[in-house]
Amino acid sequence: MRIGKGSTGAGSMITAHGHVTSCRTARERNHQRGTSMSDELLFYREGDGGISTARIDDQGTFTNLKDGRVNAGWTRIVPTNGSLLFYRASDGGISTARVDDQGTFTNLKDGRVNPNWTRIIPTNKNLLFYRASDGGISTAKIDDQGTFTNLKDGRVNAGWTHIVPTDGTLLFYREGDGGISTARIDDQGTFTNLKDGRVNAGWTHIIPTNGNLLFYRASDGGISTAKIDDRGTFTNLKDGRVSPNWTSIVPTNRNLLFYRANDGGISTATIDDQGIFTNLKDGRVNPNWTHITPA
């Protein structure tokens, strides 16, 4: 596997309040110091490569940082180990990059890996690549300099529609029938299946947040929170309902950013350790972003 390029785009943000999550060193340092954490996000528009960086603090205040443009056509953007991986499914092109605390975007390294991966998931310090058509998987890592190293290849069940990391464990979910499976990937990239089961079908988004998971159904706004323990055991927590038709839900620090692409509407929320959902602030940014990721 190797690397590509991509980035920026939200444009001017209109009275946007929310908070987002980023898993980066500055926030970790702030957390250790006991200070309030802020998190950077990268907004990307696949059609023209427009990018924008922004920050959402713990109170849900949204601040636009910098706008720009990178290569168009990236199909996946994934945060990992302080960097971002940009991936293009058609030809396997990849690029690594970094966004600093001021929202400045820096390209690191470019390359190429196998095409047609349908999911790329950060797990611990590594990445899992998954191909839904045949269940092919590959694990890899990206170091602090953006260097990409393939680890191990293998195969699992085909047809998973969602793969979500949470506290060192992975949840595999099949939207059509609600089938689930939990697994773990260690630092050497070794994949271990844990437990299989079934939950409700039809969830369109599954997002890790604050050690738990949020399940969301766009058609009617139905939500459910759950957790997975170290042994891969799945426990449902609370059910409820929020606004329908959110197109992206992004974890930020301990919070969530909800985004609606057609009009740029946003909302931030938090989920506590017991799975209780609390709305924070609402606002609006530019519409038509295709990817939003912690940076």
Side-chain angles (χ1 to χ4, degrees), residues 58-76:
D58 288 347
Q59 288 71 45
T61 302
F62 188 103
T63 303
N64 187 61
L65 296 173
K66 300 190 178 181
D67 303 323
R69 194 169 301 276
V70 299
N71 285 356
W74 297 115
T75 52
R76 296 282 169 185

Side-chain angles (χ1 to χ4, degrees), residues 48-227:
D48 65 358
I51 62 171
S52 185
T53 53
R55 178 180 297 124
I56 297 179
D57 67 18
D58 288 347
Q59 288 71 45
T61 302
F62 188 103
T63 303
N64 187 61
L65 296 173
K66 300 190 178 181
D67 303 323
R69 194 169 301 276
V70 299
N71 285 356
W74 297 115
T75 52
R76 296 282 169 185
I77 305 174
V78 185
T80 176
N81 201 25
S83 301
L84 292 169
L85 173 72
F86 292 76
Y87 173 76
R88 189 169 52 241
S90 60
D91 65 355
I94 61 172
S95 185
T96 53
R98 183 177 294 121
V99 176
D100 67 19
D101 291 344
Q102 288 72 49
T104 302
F105 182 98
T106 302
N107 188 67
L108 297 173
K109 300 191 178 181
D110 303 323
R112 195 168 301 276
V113 301
N114 288 346
N116 302 321
W117 296 114
T118 50
R119 290 285 184 271
I120 305 175
I121 304 93
T123 170
N124 295 327
K125 298 177 180 178
N126 297 329
L127 291 167
L128 172 71
F129 291 70
Y130 172 75
R131 190 169 51 241
S133 60
D134 64 357
I137 61 171
S138 184
T139 54
K141 65 171 57 180
I142 298 176
D143 66 19
D144 292 341
Q145 288 72 48
T147 302
F148 186 101
T149 303
N150 188 66
L151 295 173
K152 299 190 179 180
D153 301 322
R155 195 169 301 278
V156 298
N157 285 350
W160 298 114
T161 54
H162 300 67
I163 306 175
V164 188
T166 174
D167 277 358
T169 305
L170 290 170
L171 173 71
F172 291 72
Y173 172 75
R174 194 167 48 241
E175 188 174 338
D177 66 357
I180 62 170
S181 184
T182 54
R184 181 181 297 117
I185 297 177
D186 65 21
D187 290 343
Q188 287 71 47
T190 302
F191 183 99
T192 303
N193 188 67
L194 296 173
K195 299 190 179 181
D196 302 321
R198 194 169 301 277
V199 299
N200 286 352
W203 298 114
T204 53
H205 299 69
I206 307 175
I207 305 93
T209 175
N210 198 27
N212 296 328
L213 292 168
L214 172 71
F215 291 72
Y216 172 75
R217 190 170 51 241
S219 60
D220 64 356
I223 61 170
S224 184
T225 54
K227 64 172 56 181

